[in-house]
Amino acid sequence: MHPKELLDRYQIEPKKSLGQNFLFDENVLWRIVEAAEVSSEDVVLEIGPGLGALTRLLAQTAVSVTAVELDDRLLPILEYELEPFTNVRLIHGDILEQDPARLFDQPYKVVANVPYYITGAILRHLLSARHKPTCMVLTVQKEVAERVTAVPPNMSLLAVSAQVYGPVQQVATLKAGAFWPRPDVDSAVIRLDITHQPADEALFFRVARAGFSQKRKQLHNNLRQLGLGKQEIEQILLAAGVDGRRRAETLSLEEWRRIVEAVGGKRP
Ligand code: SAM
C-alpha cells in the first residue's frame, strides 16, 4: 500500500522533524536488501522501520530483525503490518540510546533508510559501539554519500572517520521521487564493511579532528590543537613521512594511521 494511503487510514501526518520520507517502490527496497547480501543466517538491525516496508523484506530474508522506531504513532501500524513475522523484534526508542551489545550476542548487520537529520550521529554511534556491526547499508542524502566515500585529495573528517573501519562504497542512487513525502534532495545507498579496528580509537579521532579543525590551515598548524609543541609536531610528521605543509583533505588513511602511531609515541 502507498504510504500516504496507510497513514491516512490511521489519520497520521508524516513528521518532517523525524526525517519521515517513506520508500514504497518494492524494487528499490529489494535493492537495499540485496546490497547488504542479507541471508538466512543474518541478524539485522533496522533503524526507523517507519511503516515496515523494508522490515517486511528483511524479515523474509534474515534470521531475525530488530527494528528501533522512535515515533510512537507508528507502533500500532508496525505491530499490525509485521504481525505475520515472528522473527521481528520491535523496539520503541531512540537508536542513539540503544547499545548494540545489549541487543545482540552475535554478529549483526545494519540495514536502514535512516532519518537524515541524524545520519552523522548514527554513523558515529554504531561505528564507535563496543559491539559494532559487520556491515551497514544505509540510504543517505546523496551529498553525504559523496562525502563519506571521498578519496584524497578531497577527504573529509566524515570520510576518514568511516573509512578507518573498512571500505565504504556507494551502491545506488535514488531519485527524490522514490520517497513519499518527496525529500528536497536526491539520495544514495552506501555500504560500509567494518573490517578494521583502530588500535587506539579515541586517539585516532582526536588526531583526525585536530587535523581537520581549520580548513584553510596546513596540517602542522592544525595539529597544534593536540597540545604539542612545534618541534614535537615536526618530529611526528617526520616519523610518519608526511609533509606538514599539506592539508588534511589530501592525506590517505595509511598516512593518518602513521601520524596517529607517531602521536601515540609522544602520549600528548
Ligand atoms: N524505513 C522506512 C522506509 O524506508 O520507508 C522509514 C524511513 S524514514 C526515512 C526514517 C524513520 O526513522 C522514520 O520512521 C522515523 O520516525 C524514524 N526515526 C527518526 N528518528 C529516529 C531515532 N532517533 N531513532 C529511531 N528511529 C528514528
Side-chain angles (χ1 to χ4, degrees), residues 180-191:
W180 186 86
R182 210 186 151 96
D184 301 329
V185 290
D186 283 340
S187 301
V189 182
I190 54 169
R191 173 174 166 144

Side-chain angles (χ1 to χ4, degrees), residues 40-53:
S40 57
E41 280 160 27
D42 286 323
V43 167
V44 173
L45 168 63
E46 188 192 2
I47 302 155
L51 305 173

Side-chain angles (χ1 to χ4, degrees), residues 2-59:
H2 191 281
K4 179 167 171 24
E5 210 181 312
L6 193 54
L7 286 172
D8 281 351
R9 188 175 285 186
Y10 285 81
Q11 296 179 310
I12 294 173
E13 290 286 325
K15 269 194 192 161
K16 210 173 172 173
S17 62
L18 288 182
Q20 291 180 348
N21 302 101
F22 303 101
L23 276 171
F24 55 92
D25 181 334
E26 190 130 321
N27 291 324
V28 170
L29 290 162
W30 274 121
R31 259 162 75 199
I32 295 172
V33 177
E34 279 158 16
E37 295 174 283
V38 177
S39 78
S40 57
E41 280 160 27
D42 286 323
V43 167
V44 173
L45 168 63
E46 188 192 2
I47 302 155
L51 305 173
L54 182 58
T55 325
R56 192 176 309 116
L57 306 193
L58 290 169

Side-chain angles (χ1 to χ4, degrees), residues 65-155:
V65 184
T66 297
V68 180
E69 175 56 61
L70 182 60
D71 189 351
D72 54 0
R73 301 173 313 154
L74 304 181
L75 293 183
I77 308 184
L78 285 167
E79 275 157 15
Y80 181 77
E81 294 291 317
L82 300 171
E83 209 215 284
F85 301 102
T86 51
N87 59 344
V88 174
R89 168 170 57 158
L90 262 182
I91 295 179
H92 177 216
D94 181 343
I95 186 61
L96 301 178
E97 284 171 12
Q98 307 293 322
D99 177 359
R102 290 180 169 269
L103 296 179
F104 306 108
D105 291 331
Q106 60 280 81
Y108 66 100
K109 289 180 173 176
V110 175
V111 184
N113 170 20
V114 296
Y116 292 168
Y117 74 108
I118 46 166
T119 307
I122 289 174
L123 283 172
R124 274 193 299 279
H125 180 64
L126 293 174
L127 291 173
S128 65
R130 294 182 282 164
H131 184 24
K132 301 184 199 325
T134 54
C135 155
M136 295 169 79
V137 169
L138 306 176
T139 304
V140 300
Q141 289 179 45
K142 198 151 171 265
E143 175 264 326
V144 173
E146 277 157 15
R147 268 198 296 136
V148 84
T149 56
V151 292
N154 297 312
M155 290 296 266

